Amino acid sequence: MRVRRCAHLMFEPREALQFDLDSLVGGGDGLRTELSLLALVPHNRQEIAVSVAEAALLARVPCTTWTDLETLAATHDPDGIHSLIARGLLIADDADHAADRARDDRVREANWHTLSAVQHYFGCWDGVRSGDETRRAGYVTLQDLIAKLGEPPPPAQEHSSAAARLPLPPPQTSDFDDLLRRRATCRNFDTTTALAQTELATMLHRVFGAQGTLQINGGGDTTVIKRNSPSGGGLHPTGAYVIARHVQGLACGLYHYRPLEHALEPMRGLAQDEADDLALRSVAAQAYFAAAPVLVVLAVRFPRNFWKYRNHAKAYRVTTLDVGHLSQTLYLSATDLGLGAFITAAINEIEIEQAFGLDALVESAIAVCGFGHRAAQRETPEFDPRGLVWRTDGTRTR
Ligand SMILES: Cc1cc2nc3c(=O)[nH]c(=O)nc-3n(C[C@H](O)[C@H](O)[C@H](O)COP(=O)(O)O)c2cc1C
């Protein structure tokens, strides 16, 4: 048998403070510090406690080439080696460890930058209810936050005195400014009105559709698509996975949007209560967002971007910036159609990926957006200081 270290691995020395009655009784501060060393392994999203000796052994096993197990066992504790294999930190080339090897191969082949892989896979949630912790801690409004945390840093940095500033002429305005100003994150969806299919089609086409294509003859069949948003390397690795809850003439369920054909691929039919439940779990229990008739998961196919930006320190950042651009195009497209829209990154990626059957090592959710008709009456606060969406009595302006 041969072994190699898993493709991506980082060590975190972690410190946890534990309540300690003995310390308190003995006149101490009642706290005990527990130190541990964790191996962070993106291919199985696991934090694995290791000893310093195990970390030293891992540091001596190459990850690009295979080492004969017997050769390694001649200089290192064989039980320790087998324990690292069993925990997926060392990858073995035998049949018993094929599943672990396949997962490691998929992350390896995706050309991740190690820090980014750790950041992404350890930032994913499963079963989280956003806001529960802050509510428990008493942080609900901005006023609560200021009372507990003090003032936030100012809205803009100051680099000179007021006298040194150069005043600019008033900005030009056009209808576009009106559209930009009316954009506001919607937390009040009309739960009775279905979205028309043409509204859904227009939104998907404007935001995710191919507005033009370029064929490149490089021996294969490479198609480059143009969207209404920029994308790092022009690669557009972001896919649109639709949770359709309430669309006229469209069965409730999960779909994938095909940007070139402007068509939906049905992935799974859902009963209404299943779709409602998935929507709520997807947005980590933010009920005001789950009420949107359509939610769209923005999932990045990392190997597509990393095909060009291999093991690149900026590549992951670029993919998340792409998602941000798509979300602004989605907001503006919705505002233009008289719809409300939202984005949230407080999402349960793992539940979303399971529901759609996505292989997270290839394609993973970064954000969830949604859109639909706004309610007639505002119940949940929105950020609309100029009153362009809501009147002071909570009724809609248009
Ligand atoms: C990446 C991103 C994540 C966000 N996540 C949440 C969220 O989890 N919950 C929420 O209520 N709003 C979320 N928002 C919306 C912001 O709260 C909102 O954009 C901000 O308050 C400004 O309001 P506006 O969009 O109406 O101008 C998010 C916005 C962005 C850009």
Side-chain angles (χ1 to χ4, degrees):
M1 186 160 82
R2 296 178 309 161
V3 293
R4 65 182 180 188
R5 186 161 33 83
C6 60
H8 299 286
L9 167 67
M10 293 203 66
F11 294 109
E12 181 194 344
R14 192 170 294 172
E15 183 172 353
L17 290 178
Q18 305 287 350
F19 175 67
D20 185 347
L21 190 61
D22 289 346
S23 151
L24 200 64
V25 171
D29 60 3
L31 293 174
R32 177 167 34 93
T33 300
E34 279 189 3
L35 293 171
S36 58
L37 184 60
L38 297 170
L40 307 178
V41 188
H43 78 264
N44 57 14
R45 281 172 164 156
Q46 267 182 17
E47 301 178 344
I48 301 168
V50 290
S51 66
V52 173
E54 286 174 325
L57 197 165
L58 284 165
R60 282 190 212 110
V61 182
C63 75
T64 47
T65 53
W66 293 96
T67 304
D68 198 57
L69 185 65
E70 279 178 24
T71 313
L72 196 63
T75 49
H76 296 85
D77 168 29
D79 289 345
I81 297 169
H82 283 287
S83 161
L84 292 173
I85 294 172
R87 287 179 284 163
L89 292 162
L90 283 180
I91 304 297
D93 70 350
D94 66 336
D96 288 352
H97 299 95
D100 244 338
R101 192 168 60 250
R103 292 180 68 76
D104 183 61
D105 279 346
R106 295 211 296 290
V107 199
R108 197 177 283 266
E109 283 156 16
N111 297 312
W112 276 96
H113 184 263
T114 300
L115 273 175
S116 304
V118 170
Q119 184 193 349
H120 178 71
Y121 288 109
F122 286 91
C124 292
W125 287 356
D126 189 10
V128 171
R129 294 175 55 85
S130 171
D132 277 3
E133 249 167 60
T134 44
R135 273 189 292 276
R136 256 197 304 276
Y139 299 173
V140 177
T141 64
L142 215 52
Q143 281 84 349
D144 297 336
L145 278 172
I146 293 167
K148 300 237 178 199
L149 309 175
E151 296 290 332
Q157 197 58 273
E158 233 174 271
H159 289 285
S160 60
S161 68
R165 289 178 203 146
L166 304 176
L168 291 166
Q172 291 180 353
T173 55
S174 71
D175 290 349
F176 184 55
D177 295 276
D178 177 53
L179 179 72
L180 289 170
R181 287 192 196 114
R182 283 187 289 112
R183 182 211 59 81
T185 298
C186 179
R187 296 191 186 88
N188 296 273
F189 287 101
D190 177 350
T191 52
T192 54
T193 310
L195 198 71
Q197 264 198 36
T198 49
E199 290 169 327
L200 174 66
T202 308
M203 285 295 295
L204 291 175
H205 190 257
R206 282 181 174 180
V207 184
F208 302 103
Q211 308 296 327
T213 58
L214 181 68
Q215 282 314 117
I216 297 178
N217 189 354
D221 185 17
T222 302
T223 304
V224 182
I225 65 170
K226 178 150 183 90
R227 278 178 169 163
N228 285 332
S229 302
S231 169
L235 291 160
H236 287 292
T238 312
Y241 288 88
V242 176
I243 305 175
R245 291 183 55 249
H246 203 190
V247 181
Q248 280 167 24
L250 185 69
C252 199
L254 308 185
Y255 299 86
H256 174 234
Y257 178 68
R258 295 272 315 170
L260 283 161
E261 298 84 3
H262 181 52
L264 288 176
E265 285 178 320
M267 294 187 75
R268 216 175 114 199
L270 294 177
Q272 188 66 55
D273 60 340
E274 289 175 318
D276 296 352
D277 176 57
L278 177 64
L280 193 62
R281 286 187 291 118
S282 298
V283 294
Q286 298 180 86
Y288 42 79
F289 286 160
V294 169
L295 291 89
V296 185
V297 175
L298 282 75
V300 170
R301 263 184 312 141
F302 298 112
R304 182 159 164 95
N305 179 289
F306 303 168
W307 164 79
K308 178 172 178 184
Y309 301 109
R310 294 185 176 216
N311 315 107
H312 199 298
K314 306 288 181 192
Y316 179 65
R317 186 190 301 186
V318 164
T319 64
T320 61
L321 287 168
D322 277 12
V323 168
H325 289 118
L326 290 166
S327 115
Q328 173 73 344
T329 304
L330 182 142
Y331 267 87
L332 293 181
S333 301
T335 308
D336 177 63
L337 293 177
L339 303 173
F342 75 83
I343 178 171
T344 176
I347 63 173
N348 283 307
E349 294 87 349
I350 295 173
E351 292 177 65
I352 293 170
E353 287 152 9
Q354 279 166 359
F356 280 94
L358 302 182
D359 178 354
L361 297 179
V362 173
E363 193 169 18
S364 185
I366 295 288
V368 173
C369 288
F371 48 86
H373 292 274
R374 284 179 172 279
Q377 183 73 34
R378 183 187 55 206
E379 303 289 344
T380 307
E382 291 185 15
F383 190 48
D384 178 32
R386 300 166 73 146
L388 296 177
V389 184
W390 303 102
R391 297 189 189 90
T392 46
D393 66 358
T395 56
R396 249 199 1 246
T397 54
R398 54 170 101 185

